Amino acid sequence: SFYDGLPYPHTGLLDANQPWSGHYTVTPAVFAVGHTTRFTEPGWHYLKTGQGSGMLKHGGSYVSLSSGADLTIVVEKMKHETSACV
């Protein structure tokens, strides 16, 4: 929980700037974590950049996770102009 005046507000899984009230807001990050963890289990590992993970040409990224026997790929789409990591 971050207070609104601190750096990086609204960057966690939930917003609860008054947690004692019982009120919280679910952020989009919950869905990103859910999408990644739904198709994997503890013990899976991310493949290295260039060997299953990387950046998409017009913005976004993809990561691959492997159990050694199974593989899952998660694609994140975003605009190239708004991707500060590109």
Side-chain angles (χ1 to χ4, degrees):
S1 177
F2 288 95
Y3 293 105
D4 289 331
L6 294 176
Y8 310 112
H10 314 292
T11 56
L13 297 177
L14 299 172
D15 278 346
N17 63 355
Q18 297 179 355
W20 54 87
S21 71
H23 176 75
Y24 63 90
T25 304
V26 177
T27 69
V30 166
F31 301 103
V33 169
H35 184 79
T36 299
T37 59
R38 178 172 170 83
F39 303 104
T40 62
E41 296 180 5
W44 286 52
H45 63 275
Y46 285 93
L47 300 182
K48 294 179 181 180
T49 302
Q51 298 178 0
S53 299
M55 302 303 293
L56 298 172
K57 183 177 180 179
H58 297 288
S61 63
Y62 62 96
V63 294
S64 301
L65 296 100
S66 176
S67 68
D70 295 311
L71 175 73
T72 190
I73 301 171
V74 178
V75 178
E76 170 212 26
K77 181 182 171 192
M78 63 174 40
K79 293 180 182 177
H80 181 77
E81 303 80 41
T82 59
S83 176
C85 60
V86 173

